[in-house]
């Protein structure tokens, strides 16, 4: 098997993100992590929704699926179920994953499919030129909200922890080394791995700039117990700053494993030629 290098993952399309956009760092960190784990391009699929961040699959040489708005996760979960041998990575923005796709985020956490989900959070809808998103701060002004944004924010890390996501981490586009570490951990993890990346938009979000986020960012304590979900929630909720690192990690059977158990059970009752149609007979 070929030893992969960062440049092997370079897609045919040059990244169309603005110069200075945080997503460039995420792209580099993912390539580094994939090279470290020697992910082969023909064994890897990157699935996205819609948004600037969701253009990600075009910039990689792996398989890719640029789906529809908010639907990266159901497509990624289906892909993994149909072909469990491939590495499936879902990517997208805060708008894609928390507005229109918020429902899928919840259910992915509790099902625990063996995939990684990278959310690039710029606290705005950038592709559509700067409307507020579920992570925009109260008071944010944009062309669409010229006076002030009025809704409270969603905390994606707290949300993921609350519905039992089995790997939860947060990074920041200004620290590519840490991004690489947490993404590598996510790709290695067996189960649903959620990586929240605060990734500033230099064009439409003047409130949460790189400078502002840099002031807030702090590392989780070295002795933080990765299996202590309640403590992880305290750090996720911390008003004093934006903690980064791995918040939580635990193992339980994946969605695919549980599904295979059900199929095996059905076959043991109905025989090897069992099909899903057979299971419906009892209701007819
Ligand atoms: C069903 C549907 N509704 C709305 C849109 C318009 N739309 C495209 S991208 C987007 C928001 C993207 O925001 P985010 O996911 O945060 O990505 P970013 O561009 O900030 O990276 C919206 C509302 C759409 N494409 N499809």
């Amino acid at each position: 098997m070929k030893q992969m290098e960062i440049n092997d993952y370079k897609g045919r399309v040059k990244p169309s993100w603005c110069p200075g956009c945080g997503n460039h760092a995420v792209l580099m960190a993912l390539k580094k992590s994939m090279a470290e784990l020697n992910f082969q391009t023909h064994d890897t699929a990157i699935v996205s929704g819609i948004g600037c961040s969701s253009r990600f699959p075009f910039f990689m040489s792996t398989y890719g699926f640029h789906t529809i708005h908010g639907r990266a996760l159901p497509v990624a979960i289906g892909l993994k179920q149909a072909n469990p041998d491939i590495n499936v990575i879902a990517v997208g923005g805060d708008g894609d994953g928390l507005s229109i796709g918020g429902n899928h985020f919840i259910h992915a956490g509790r099902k625990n499919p063996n995939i990684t989900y990278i959310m690039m959070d710029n606290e705005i809808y950038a592709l559509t030129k700067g409307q507020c998103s579920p992570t925009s701060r109260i008071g944010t002004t944009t062309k669409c909200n010229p006076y002030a944004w009025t809704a409270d924010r969603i905390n994606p890390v707290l949300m993921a922890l609350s519905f039992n996501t089995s790997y939860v981490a947060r990074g920041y586009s200004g620290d590519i080394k840490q991004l690489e570490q947490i993404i590598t951990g996510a790709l290695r993890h067996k189960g649903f791995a959620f990586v929240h990346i605060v990734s500033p938009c230099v064009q439409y979000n003047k409130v949460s700039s790189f400078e502002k986020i840099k002031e807030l960012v702090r590392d989780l304590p070295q002795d933080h117990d990765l299996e202590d979900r309640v403590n992880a929630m305290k750090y996720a909720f911390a008003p004093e700053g934006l903690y980064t690192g791995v918040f939580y990690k635990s193992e339980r059977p994946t969605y695919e494993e549980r599904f295979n158990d059900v199929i095996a059970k059905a076959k043991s009752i109905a025989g090897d030629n069992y099909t899903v149609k057979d299971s419906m007979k009892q209701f007819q």
Side-chain angles (χ1 to χ4, degrees):
M1 198 188 288
K2 174 182 160 54
Q3 175 56 53
M4 301 297 282
E5 287 169 19
I6 295 169
N7 277 343
D8 293 325
Y9 300 114
K10 197 171 162 192
R12 270 179 287 178
V13 180
K14 206 170 154 236
S16 52
W17 298 316
C18 302
C21 170
N23 297 347
H24 293 285
V26 183
L27 184 68
M28 179 49 77
L30 179 63
K31 286 179 182 172
K32 285 185 169 186
S33 295
M34 285 173 55
E36 190 183 332
L37 300 176
N38 205 22
F39 274 23
Q40 302 294 305
T41 49
H42 60 269
D43 280 339
T44 306
I46 302 190
V47 182
S48 69
I50 299 293
C52 290
S53 41
S54 288
R55 300 196 64 76
F56 210 108
F58 293 100
F59 315 142
M60 297 285 291
S61 58
T62 61
Y63 286 101
F65 197 161
H66 185 216
T67 69
I68 51 173
H69 200 20
R71 303 297 182 259
L73 283 174
V75 173
I77 293 168
L79 192 59
K80 184 70 182 179
Q81 202 173 359
N83 192 347
D85 293 334
I86 57 172
N87 310 304
V88 178
I89 304 163
V91 297
D94 42 298
D96 192 74
L98 299 170
S99 286
I100 193 167
N103 160 20
H104 298 297
F105 183 34
I106 294 169
H107 297 292
R110 71 188 182 85
K111 285 178 182 161
N112 201 31
N114 190 12
I115 66 173
T116 291
Y117 178 35
I118 298 175
M119 179 183 286
M120 285 155 273
D121 182 0
N122 55 11
E123 305 179 13
I124 207 103
Y125 295 174
L127 187 75
T128 45
K129 304 200 183 307
Q131 297 85 2
C132 283
S133 89
T135 54
S136 297
R137 289 158 206 267
I138 284 192
T140 298
T141 54
T142 67
K143 277 189 188 163
C144 297
N145 308 276
Y147 301 108
W149 181 242
T150 51
D152 274 323
R153 309 177 69 202
I154 282 180
N155 180 328
V157 168
L158 194 57
M159 201 175 158
L161 288 166
S162 73
F163 45 71
N164 209 13
T165 302
S166 57
Y167 180 99
V168 182
R170 184 194 277 137
Y172 150 63
S173 286
D175 185 348
I176 199 163
K177 203 164 164 226
Q178 187 193 42
L179 277 188
E180 190 190 336
Q181 282 164 2
I182 60 176
I183 292 174
T184 303
L187 298 177
R188 277 205 177 108
H189 178 71
K190 185 171 82 74
F192 186 54
F194 174 59
V195 182
H196 177 229
I197 302 178
V198 182
S199 185
C201 170
V202 290
Q203 183 67 31
Y204 296 109
N205 193 338
K206 305 299 176 206
V207 179
S208 292
S209 58
F210 269 100
E211 294 71 29
K212 175 82 186 292
I213 299 294
K214 199 174 170 192
E215 278 171 25
L216 299 174
V217 162
R218 58 207 66 202
D219 286 342
L220 280 164
Q222 293 271 334
D223 60 354
H224 169 57
D225 176 0
L226 293 182
E227 288 185 14
D228 186 342
R229 193 146 64 113
V230 173
N231 211 27
M233 284 181 169
K234 283 187 194 154
Y235 285 118
F237 201 56
E240 71 270 18
L242 193 67
Y243 281 97
T244 57
V246 180
F247 283 73
Y248 181 69
K249 184 170 155 55
S250 67
E251 285 228 350
R252 66 181 197 274
T254 64
Y255 182 53
E256 300 78 29
E257 284 169 347
R258 284 182 173 153
F259 190 78
N260 285 342
D261 286 350
V262 172
I263 297 290
K265 193 172 176 193
K267 282 186 174 170
S268 74
I269 297 168
D272 265 356
N273 294 329
Y274 159 87
T275 67
V276 175
K277 267 190 191 160
D278 293 330
S279 67
M280 300 306 288
K281 280 185 190 147
Q282 59 182 308
F283 303 111
Q284 287 163 359

